Amino acid sequence: MGKYQDFHKRSIENRDDFWAEQAQLVEWKEPFTQVCDYSRPPFVKWFVNGKTNLCYNAVDRHAAERPNDRALIFVSTETDEERIYTWAELQREVERMAAILQSQGVGEGDRVLIYMPMVPEAIFAMLATVRIGAIHSVVFGGFAAGSLATRIDDAKPKVMVTADAGMRNGKPVPYKHLVDEALSLAEFPPAKVVIIDRGLDKGFPRVAGRDVDYAELRAQHMDAQVPCVWVESSHPSYILYTSGTTGKPKGVQRDTGGYLVALAASMKHIYQGGKGETFFSTSDIGWVVGHSYIVYGPLIGGMATVVYEGTPLRPDPAIWWKLVEKYKVNVMFSAPTAARVLKKQDPAYMKKHDLSSLKHIYMAGEPLDEPTHEWFMSELNKPVIDNYWQTETGWPMISAVPGVEKTPIKYGSPSFPVYGYDLRIFREDGSECGPNEKGIAAVVPPMPPGCLSTVWGQDERFVSTYFSLFKEPLVYSSYDWAIKDENGYFTILGRTDDVINVAGHRLGTREIEEAVQNHKAIAEVAVVGVEDKLKGQVPIAFAVVKDAGVVATPDQVKALEKEVMGTVDGILGAIARPGRVYFVTALPKTRSGKMLRRSLQALAEGRDPGDLTTIDDPTTIENIKKMVAAG
Ligand code: ATP
Ligand code: MG
């Protein structure tokens, strides 16, 4: 495993040369004069004075080279649509959208808030915004009016782009109604709202003077030619909020040049995607994975991207694999949550389609537990590579880097710190942990290109949120608990808030979850620590079974609870044994599929579940509340 180690070492010790080389993967209108300006820690600027444009690199340069190759494949199993755009067509649509935005008053540095379902127009809007030097803020479609209003007020957009409705599980979800509600709550509403009317919500209200129709404007700008605005490398490209798993979301501000180079390099070294190949990420443009690996990364790398509106289960659980076969997908990106959903289905669905085009699949967002990792990899018979990263970083922090060296995959581990990140594990006193010693994962700054420049409008919060773990040394931390084995493989054990202290023993919730997952009846589980007079804390497990039939009677529940406890005893010892195992039908998650452990813990301790603005299904909380109350 020497080759990758050398590559990583060089990226840290020879930082400027390393990144200057990566910067050759993209096009600059004017060259940069300095690779890295770190004169004001912890703020960092990359590729200083370089002028470029994200949209140019993602669209125009490929359209010039391969105009008739496919660039964007849109499939909706919700509306039964399929639309394929070539690079030339994509550029034309983006220029039309750019002309529309300009006609509504958007100029360089203005914000455009995009609240859209997964349709190509959402991606046109993102690319058009950065094309004209404006800044987008994509808010996940489906967030409630209050959450949307907060994000509107934070960005103060000049224009909003939305649709009449989205579709989820075959039912229309009204967007425009919700936007109206949010705009009535917002203190800084935009002057104009561009509406893509999909004909899903007939007769939605339009506000004269404010609401404008996309199709009408598009017809006026059919021949629009809108040149790219060349911006300085640190010019903000977008604002994006974190998932809100641990509390109030933070508005991550991204630059242009650093992000561009980081993504281009990741396509080469990590994802190994080639020009003309196809990338399918199952995420949503409302999340960072969607920004980086539905929109910008694949397109910058010259790959066609699949934009999918639908769930992994409709019309049946083979749908993803059907798309892989049909569009000859080469690289996939998904999330552990989705893998666990598929694990609950008939395994025959995984074998129905020809997956020979697929080289590998990447996973991020939550810990990929060892049993699920192993299951997924053996079912697919493809490398499944876990990626650890955050909205803040914009691209992976820990991953295998097969484009440099194909290192063996260790189940349950995302492998090694990615080049550019001087990532280490620290004790609480700021000293470094040894092999196999649990601690806090943190990066010695400067953060590499692509990571957040600051928290939008709140430089103070940027410093205090991410750089105040220790007085000395200065490190970037998002408070994840990790361990590194003697071969250098990292494992993320959960957030530092998710560490349970049982009679003086510190256990990551993830370790216990993984042990529970080893029981064959369990599909999914969340473990939280609950206050205990005697032990300090005890773990409590909330588990979803694969087959509800096994917990149909109280006796069965008792028996299975005992078995699960026994499984944990066998793997981690009695110290980690859950005090209770509740069998639930569904677990509370954020819209991005992350477990809301803080809410589960609050419920288990009889407290209020807290901020639920990012929750996916509020009934999960109600059901668990009842169950806990019943004892
Ligand atoms: P907030 O910061 O608002 O509380 P969040 O941290 O969930 O929300 P994201 O940026 O979407 O917001 O998620 C990043 C976090 O997700 C990481 O800090 C880590 O806790 C978790 N995570 C992401 N990928 C992995 C992975 N591969 N393995 C383990 N944990 C992961
Ligand atoms: Mg976070």
Side-chain angles (χ1 to χ4, degrees):
M1 275 189 269
K3 205 168 162 202
Y4 177 65
Q5 269 170 3
D6 291 345
F7 189 77
H8 181 268
K9 197 164 165 225
R10 189 163 167 266
S11 76
I12 304 300
E13 291 176 0
N14 245 329
R15 185 186 68 205
D16 287 10
D17 290 346
F18 179 91
W19 286 110
E21 268 165 42
Q22 306 305 319
Q24 303 309 310
L25 293 168
V26 305
E27 291 198 28
W28 299 87
K29 181 71 179 169
E30 279 175 34
F32 46 88
T33 55
Q34 189 184 2
V35 177
C36 174
D37 174 1
Y38 192 51
S39 56
R40 198 167 65 98
F43 297 89
V44 57
K45 284 183 179 163
W46 287 95
F47 311 115
V48 184
N49 292 325
K51 285 205 164 174
T52 188
N53 183 287
L54 268 181
C55 182
Y56 180 82
N57 277 282
V59 182
D60 297 41
R61 62 171 175 154
H62 306 300
E65 221 180 85
R66 298 177 288 124
N68 301 320
D69 280 7
R70 53 185 200 178
L72 191 155
I73 299 163
F74 169 61
V75 187
S76 173
T77 48
E78 299 287 352
T79 57
D80 272 331
E81 264 176 287
E82 182 201 69
R83 277 189 259 159
I84 295 177
Y85 295 87
T86 64
W87 291 100
E89 287 165 341
L90 177 62
Q91 182 173 339
R92 231 167 287 140
E93 292 299 345
V94 170
E95 290 195 62
R96 286 167 188 153
M97 184 67 92
I100 293 172
L101 293 177
Q102 285 179 333
S103 76
Q104 301 307 305
V106 178
E108 199 176 329
D110 288 336
R111 272 80 60 206
V112 175
L113 194 140
I114 300 171
Y115 183 78
M116 286 284 287
M118 281 288 289
V119 292
E121 289 77 8
I123 289 148
F124 304 158
M126 292 169 76
L127 292 165
T129 302
V130 295
R131 184 177 191 87
I132 58 175
I135 302 165
H136 59 70
S137 169
V138 179
V139 176
F140 176 69
F143 266 145
S147 313
L148 177 56
T150 317
R151 287 161 177 76
I152 292 172
D153 285 340
D154 197 34
K156 304 184 182 61
K158 197 146 214 178
V159 166
M160 243 174 107
V161 180
T162 190
D164 59 335
M167 289 271 277
R168 205 170 166 198
N169 282 319
K171 287 186 216 90
V173 181
Y175 275 43
K176 177 57 177 37
H177 278 281
L178 207 138
V179 166
D180 287 342
E181 203 183 322
L183 290 178
S184 70
L185 295 171
E187 229 179 295
F188 302 97
K192 297 285 179 184
V193 180
V194 179
I195 302 155
I196 287 105
D197 184 359
R198 307 177 73 195
L200 297 174
D201 183 13
K202 300 257 177 336
F204 64 85
R206 293 178 195 259
V207 176
R210 186 197 73 187
D211 296 354
V212 293
D213 185 71
Y214 168 72
E216 255 169 50
L217 291 168
R218 182 173 174 275
Q220 292 166 22
H221 295 283
M222 284 309 275
D223 304 319
Q225 289 192 327
V226 180
C228 293
V229 171
W230 304 104
V231 295
E232 202 275 332
S233 179
S234 59
H235 181 76
S237 55
Y238 68 76
I239 308 165
L240 178 65
Y241 297 86
T242 59
S243 293
T245 314
T246 53
K248 198 167 171 260
K250 301 161 282 265
V252 163
Q253 177 180 322
R254 194 87 62 206
D255 74 347
T256 298
Y259 187 55
L260 172 62
V261 172
L263 292 186
S266 75
M267 292 311 292
K268 179 177 172 193
H269 304 307
I270 302 177
Y271 301 101
Q272 290 186 285
K275 277 186 185 172
E277 293 192 326
T278 301
F279 199 103
F280 174 25
S281 164
T282 67
S283 184
D284 185 284
I285 51 154
W287 314 125
V288 69
V289 175
H291 279 61
S292 295
Y293 296 109
I294 292 176
V295 185
Y296 293 110
L299 296 179
I300 288 167
M303 293 180 81
T305 186
V306 176
V307 176
Y308 174 57
E309 183 183 42
T311 74
L313 300 180
R314 283 181 80 249
D316 65 49
I319 179 64
W320 283 0
W321 316 118
K322 187 176 164 189
L323 299 180
V324 169
E325 178 180 76
K326 180 163 183 200
Y327 301 110
K328 303 217 167 20
V329 170
N330 305 100
V331 185
M332 254 186 102
F333 198 125
S334 191
T337 313
R340 288 189 282 264
V341 167
L342 294 178
K343 202 170 152 194
K344 282 184 246 177
Q345 317 301 320
D346 181 347
Y349 287 116
M350 308 270 296
K351 307 274 180 217
K352 260 182 82 176
H353 294 279
D354 173 13
L355 305 183
S356 56
S357 60
L358 189 64
K359 291 188 282 191
H360 38 219
I361 175 162
Y362 292 81
M363 309 282 274
E366 274 229 299
L368 177 60
D369 60 276
E370 216 176 300
T372 306
H373 197 171
E374 187 172 0
W375 167 83
F376 208 36
M377 204 150 132
S378 68
E379 283 301 307
L380 286 171
N381 201 16
K382 308 274 176 188
V384 173
I385 299 179
D386 187 12
N387 272 189
Y388 162 83
W389 49 298
Q390 309 155 352
T391 310
E392 289 87 343
T393 64
W395 62 291
M397 296 173 86
I398 307 181
S399 176
V401 184
V404 176
E405 185 182 1
K406 290 195 171 39
T407 48
I409 288 173
K410 177 184 172 185
Y411 295 130
S413 161
S415 299
F416 315 111
V418 169
Y419 53 88
Y421 293 93
D422 187 0
L423 192 142
R424 310 177 191 183
I425 301 178
F426 292 90
R427 300 192 185 105
E428 265 151 283
D429 63 5
S431 60
E432 266 185 66
C433 291
N436 298 309
E437 184 184 344
K438 296 174 199 171
I440 305 161
V443 181
V444 178
M447 295 297 277
C451 297
L452 78 169
S453 322
T454 185
V455 174
W456 175 254
Q458 294 178 284
D459 284 354
E460 291 269 288
R461 193 170 172 211
F462 171 69
V463 179
S464 66
T465 305
Y466 299 108
F467 293 92
S468 57
L469 180 62
F470 311 123
K471 251 208 165 101
E472 275 293 325
L474 176 71
V475 293
Y476 165 92
S477 176
S478 59
Y479 306 93
D480 286 310
W481 183 248
I483 193 165
K484 180 169 93 168
D485 74 9
E486 56 288 342
N487 298 317
Y489 283 86
F490 278 60
T491 300
I492 303 296
L493 302 171
R495 305 181 192 249
T496 49
D497 313 5
D498 296 337
V499 172
I500 302 180
N501 198 331
V502 189
H505 296 264
R506 313 194 69 179
L507 299 160
T509 48
R510 161 157 189 200
E511 297 170 86
I512 308 173
E513 283 166 9
E514 207 153 289
V516 174
Q517 284 274 4
N518 270 288
H519 192 290
K520 60 183 186 315
I522 306 299
E524 201 174 10
V525 62
V527 168
V528 297
V530 171
E531 240 181 52
D532 182 86
K533 282 201 193 74
L534 234 57
K535 297 183 183 165
Q537 277 184 309
V538 287
I540 300 287
F542 295 88
V544 180
V545 289
K546 286 181 189 153
D547 167 13
V550 302
V551 287
T553 69
D555 282 350
Q556 283 176 319
V557 167
K558 263 210 192 98
L560 186 60
E561 181 174 29
K562 221 169 148 196
E563 273 182 36
V564 167
M565 289 175 174
T567 305
V568 176
D569 284 3
I571 295 169
L572 292 174
I575 187 79
R577 180 195 304 157
R580 272 301 303 269
V581 183
Y582 291 100
F583 297 104
V584 299
T585 47
L587 291 161
K589 291 187 186 161
T590 63
R591 285 293 176 110
S592 53
K594 288 163 192 283
M595 200 71 76
L596 278 163
R597 285 196 191 72
R598 63 179 160 85
S599 300
L600 276 175
Q601 184 187 30
L603 290 178
E605 292 185 339
R607 290 180 287 116
D608 182 86
D611 183 318
L612 293 178
T613 49
T614 61
I615 197 171
D616 184 38
D617 176 6
T619 63
T620 52
I621 288 284
E622 286 312 310
N623 293 339
I624 290 169
K625 206 172 182 174
K626 278 183 214 143
M627 192 171 243
V628 172

